[in-house]
């Protein structure tokens, strides 16, 4: 057993040695020197390569070489693969859907109530139909009364009215029916003696009913006429049975032709004033014109024909020439003109300026025979506007107020010819919706024909007003009036000139609004508590305060 194992072991070793010898790389016979007793001949065994393909990759079906079928793809065609758009036509606009948001409350109406010193009472009411601007109708009512320390120093004013507006496809219609009532007393006091001219002052009251109507064309084009028609009427009466009725019709027609405007303004005014005298004061006027407007100028040429008829009659023809030329477009424009007109005198105009009138006033119209003016106007940015005008006027029958010789608390109206040279200026600033300011100045120099002075007409006046919204709820405003001294003519004890001192009147107010509905306001007038007169013998109220509430709904 052991012998056999030895044989098998020797045989395996011999085979391993033979394999090792075959795997070695042959050596260069020139360099290598065989060792004694080693094998030097190399035996190489070769045979041809025959590839064998596995059975899994064999194709067991022969191809059909006679098959001639043709593959056909299913095709589809569209005659209008892409839509062509015609740019020669205007496409209909597609409305964009509006997102429904929270709408603010619609506050068309408000009521206001207030009280103050000097027995002041204030009430206002305003009603309106709604937010449709094309159809409006409403009603308003106002009341204010005050009572001073002087006997008879009382004031009371009421205003009421209804109005309507309708915007039709071609025209706009406006109408209003109003009532105005102003009541006071003839409480004249001599400031030098503090004595009243009448221990039992008489009451004066002016009541006016007015009617207004207007029709305007909504647009104008080169192919059509532009036009407007307006009608006004009022009926006035006072406590002493004086009456005045007036009816006026006015309108204009304008035609645009290239750079030209050709048109005419016209009016017919009938006014009848009744007291112990019955005065008819009627005026017809026509103002044909032609306007030429270029890129760097505007020019208007025309005439003003004025026919007066009634108690007094007369015919007047005035040339009218106006021109504008931009120096810096949109910032500065020079303007000038020469015109003339007839300024109508009425009891209504006189009573609005001076309510302490005498009876049986003389009514004469003022002829503005010449009005030559020139100046500059423009804007310095979106929130700053200005205008300055120098002028020279020649006036025939300019009205003046003078105290009556027998009843100094009453005023008569006298007339005189005058030449007036002056300056008017205006500045308007609006920084934003939160702040705005307006300032005006007026300087006049009167050269009278017969009278020594232009009675009760100041030669210098400044007015200014400002408004500031501190927050959305709080707003304050202020006003300043500076009036130069003036001269008055008195007859007692002898004709003489009395100086009416100049004055400064400062007023301010504040308002707080809660949720855009409920508000609280406070107003202080004559803050400097100045004792001044606008008209001789009629001192104004001192410092007066009004406070109250208002409600919007």
């Amino acid at each position: 057993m052991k012998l056999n194992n030895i044989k098998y072991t020797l045989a395996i070793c011999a085979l391993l040695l033979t394999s090792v010898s075959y795997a070695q790389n042959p050596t260069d016979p020139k360099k290598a020197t065989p060792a004694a007793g080693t094998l030097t001949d190399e035996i190489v065994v070769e045979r041809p390569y025959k590839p064998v393909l596995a059975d899994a990759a064999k194709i067991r079906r022969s191809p059909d070489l006679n098959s001639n079928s043709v593959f056909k793809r299913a095709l589809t065609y569209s005659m209008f693969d892409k839509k062509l758009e015609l740019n020669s036509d205007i496409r209909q606009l597609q409305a964009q859907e509006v997102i429904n948001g929270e709408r603010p409350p619609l506050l068309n109406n408000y009521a206001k109530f207030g009280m103050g010193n000097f027995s002041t009472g204030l009430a206002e009411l305003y009603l309106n139909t709604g937010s449709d601007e094309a159809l409006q109708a409403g009603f308003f009512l106002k009341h204010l009364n005050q009572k001073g320390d002087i006997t008879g120093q009382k004031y009371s004013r009421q205003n009421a009215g209804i109005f309507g507006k309708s915007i039709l496809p071609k025209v706009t219609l406006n109408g209003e029916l109003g009532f105005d009532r102003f009541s006071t007393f003839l409480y004249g006091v001599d400031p030098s003696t503090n004595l009243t001219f009448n221990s039992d002052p008489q009451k004066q009251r002016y009541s006016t009913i007015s009617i207004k109507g207007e029709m305007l064309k909504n647009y104008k084009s080169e192919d059509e006429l532009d036009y407007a028609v307006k009608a006004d009427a009022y009926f006035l009466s006072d406590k002493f049975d004086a009456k005045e009725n007036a009816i006026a019709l006015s309108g204009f027609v304008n035609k645009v032709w290239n750079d030209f405007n050709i048109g005419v303004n016209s009016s017919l005014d009938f006014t009848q004033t009744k007291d112990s005298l019955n005065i008819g004061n009627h005026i017809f006027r026509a103002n044909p014109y032609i306007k030429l407007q270029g890129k760097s100028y505007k020019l208007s040429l025309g005439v003003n024909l004025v026919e007066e008829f009634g108690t007094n009659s007369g015919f007047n023809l005035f040339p009218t020439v106006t021109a504008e030329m931009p120096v810096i477009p949109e910032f500065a424009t020079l303007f000038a003109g020469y015109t003339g007109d007839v300024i109508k005198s009425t009891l209504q105009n006189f009573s609005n300026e001076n309510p302490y009138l005498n009876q049986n006033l003389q009514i004469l119209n003022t002829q503005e025979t010449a009005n030559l003016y020139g100046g500059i106007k423009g804007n310095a940015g979106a929130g700053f506007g200005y205008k300055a005008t120098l002028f020279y006027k020649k006036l025939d029958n300019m009205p003046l107020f003078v105290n009556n010789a027998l009843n100094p608390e009453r005023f008569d109206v006298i007339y005189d010819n005058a030449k007036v040279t002056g300056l008017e200026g205006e500045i308007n600033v609006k920084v934003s919706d939160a702040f705005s300011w307006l300032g005006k100045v007026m300087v006049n120099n009167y050269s009278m024909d017969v009278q020594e002075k232009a009675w009760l007409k100041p030669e210098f006046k400044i007015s200014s007003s400002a408004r500031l919204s501190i927050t959305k709820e709080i707003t304050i405003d202020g006003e300043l009036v500076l009036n130069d001294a003036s001269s008055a003519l008195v007859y007692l004890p002898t004709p003489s000139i009395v100086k009416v001192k100049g004055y400064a009147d400062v007023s301010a107010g504040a308002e707080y609004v809660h949720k855009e509905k409920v508000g609280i306001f406070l107003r202080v007038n004559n803050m400097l508590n100045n004792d001044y007169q606008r008209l001789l013998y009629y001192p104004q109220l001192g410092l007066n305060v009004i406070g109250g509430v208002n409600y919007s709904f």
Side-chain angles (χ1 to χ4, degrees), residues 74-362:
L75 300 178
T76 59
Y77 298 92
S78 175
M79 297 299 296
F80 300 99
D81 188 42
K82 184 176 181 181
K83 183 179 179 181
L84 298 178
E85 296 182 357
L86 298 178
N87 296 327
S88 60
D89 194 8
I90 299 177
R91 291 177 295 176
Q92 182 179 1
L93 296 177
Q94 300 297 324
Q96 184 175 2
E97 184 179 356
V98 178
I99 300 176
N100 294 326
E102 182 179 356
R103 295 184 179 181
L106 185 61
L107 306 177
N108 301 313
N109 317 303
Y110 78 88
K112 189 174 186 178
F113 303 95
M115 299 179 64
N117 62 334
F118 293 112
S119 302
T120 300
L122 172 67
E124 294 184 14
L125 177 65
Y126 181 88
L127 304 175
N128 191 275
T129 53
S131 60
D132 186 1
E133 296 183 359
L135 183 61
Q136 291 279 313
F139 168 80
F140 65 89
L141 175 66
K142 298 180 181 180
H143 168 79
L144 174 66
N145 66 273
Q146 290 181 302
K147 179 182 178 180
D149 298 329
I150 302 173
T151 302
Q153 193 181 31
K154 299 178 181 180
Y155 315 96
S156 175
R157 178 151 231 152
Q158 294 80 36
N159 300 96
I162 56 175
F163 60 89
K165 177 181 179 181
S166 178
I167 302 178
L168 302 177
K170 293 186 177 181
V171 297
T172 298
L173 303 177
N174 292 306
E176 182 178 343
L177 174 63
F179 174 76
D180 178 85
R181 182 181 182 271
F182 178 75
S183 177
T184 185
F185 287 81
L186 303 174
Y187 66 92
V189 176
D190 188 347
S192 61
T193 61
N194 289 328
L195 297 176
T196 61
F197 296 107
N198 193 335
S199 59
D200 185 18
Q202 292 179 290
K203 187 176 183 178
Q204 176 62 289
R205 182 186 65 240
Y206 295 94
S207 300
T208 306
I209 298 175
S210 61
I211 303 174
K212 298 179 181 179
E214 185 179 35
M215 181 178 69
L216 299 172
K217 187 177 180 182
N218 289 339
Y219 64 93
K220 60 182 179 180
S221 63
E222 297 182 359
D223 299 331
E224 297 182 10
L225 292 176
D226 188 22
Y227 59 85
V229 179
K230 184 178 181 181
D232 296 288
Y234 69 85
F235 309 95
L236 179 145
S237 63
D238 73 353
K239 185 67 174 178
F240 302 100
D241 297 328
K243 294 180 175 60
E244 186 172 81
N245 304 324
I247 299 176
L249 301 173
S250 61
F252 76 88
V253 177
N254 185 81
K255 172 68 175 179
V256 179
W257 182 64
N258 294 333
D259 293 335
F260 289 90
N261 281 262
I262 302 174
V264 59
N265 300 311
S266 183
S267 65
L268 181 60
D269 189 338
F270 297 94
T271 303
Q272 198 75 27
T273 305
K274 297 180 181 180
D275 206 334
S276 61
L277 302 174
N278 192 345
I279 301 173
N281 185 15
H282 318 310
I283 294 179
F284 169 77
R285 72 180 74 235
N287 172 222
Y289 61 85
I290 179 171
K291 295 181 181 179
L292 177 62
Q293 179 174 347
K295 294 183 178 180
S296 59
Y297 67 91
K298 292 181 181 180
L299 179 64
S300 176
L301 303 173
V303 294
N304 193 10
L305 300 93
V306 182
E307 176 72 25
E308 299 176 80
F309 58 98
T311 303
N312 300 308
S313 61
F315 177 76
N316 301 276
L317 179 63
F318 306 103
T320 60
V321 180
T322 62
E324 291 186 8
M325 183 180 67
V327 178
I328 304 176
E330 299 182 4
F331 289 95
T333 299
L334 296 176
F335 63 91
Y338 180 85
T339 63
D341 202 356
V342 173
I343 303 173
K344 192 170 187 177
S345 296
T346 64
L347 179 61
Q348 184 188 49
N349 293 338
F350 290 155
S351 62
N352 287 337
E353 186 177 353
N354 183 350
Y356 310 106
L357 297 175
N358 202 2
Q359 296 173 267
N360 304 317
L361 298 178
Q362 186 181 17

Side-chain angles (χ1 to χ4, degrees), residues 359-534:
Q359 296 173 267
N360 304 317
L361 298 178
Q362 186 181 17
I363 303 294
L364 294 175
N365 295 325
T366 301
Q367 284 80 34
E368 190 179 70
T369 57
N371 181 5
L372 178 63
Y373 63 88
I376 186 171
K377 63 181 179 179
N379 299 293
F384 183 88
Y386 65 92
K387 183 178 181 180
T389 307
L390 287 170
F391 63 86
Y392 168 80
K393 295 180 181 180
K394 186 177 180 182
L395 305 174
D396 293 344
N397 296 329
M398 185 179 76
L400 301 169
F401 295 115
V402 296
N403 296 82
N404 184 265
L406 299 178
N407 301 294
E409 74 276 10
R410 294 174 178 264
F411 287 86
D412 293 323
V413 179
I414 64 174
Y415 299 86
D416 194 12
N417 300 334
K419 297 180 179 66
V420 186
T421 305
L423 166 68
E424 292 181 354
E426 179 179 332
I427 297 177
N428 189 355
V429 178
K430 187 175 183 181
V431 178
S432 64
D433 293 337
F435 176 76
S436 61
W437 174 73
L438 175 64
K440 294 183 179 181
V441 61
M442 179 189 70
V443 180
N444 290 327
N445 181 35
Y446 297 93
S447 176
M448 308 305 297
D449 191 5
V450 176
Q451 303 295 322
E452 293 187 42
K453 299 286 185 178
W455 309 121
L456 296 176
K457 289 187 178 295
E459 294 186 350
F460 179 78
K461 183 177 181 179
I462 291 179
S463 61
S464 175
S465 61
R467 184 177 179 86
L468 173 64
S469 297
I470 300 177
T471 64
K472 187 178 180 181
E473 295 81 15
I474 302 175
T475 302
I476 61 174
D477 64 272
E479 185 175 355
L480 167 66
V481 176
L482 294 175
N483 224 43
D484 190 22
S486 61
S487 300
L489 176 64
V490 297
Y491 294 96
L492 293 177
T494 58
S496 60
I497 299 175
V498 177
K499 204 74 171 178
V500 180
K501 295 188 300 182
Y503 63 88
D505 191 338
V506 181
S507 60
E511 183 178 11
Y512 171 78
V513 179
H514 178 66
K515 294 185 178 180
E516 301 183 356
K517 287 190 174 184
V518 181
I520 302 174
F521 69 91
L522 180 68
R523 185 79 185 173
V524 183
N525 299 315
N526 195 5
M527 296 178 64
L528 303 178
N529 198 25
N530 287 335
D531 183 13
Y532 68 91
Q533 303 174 85
R534 288 193 310 107

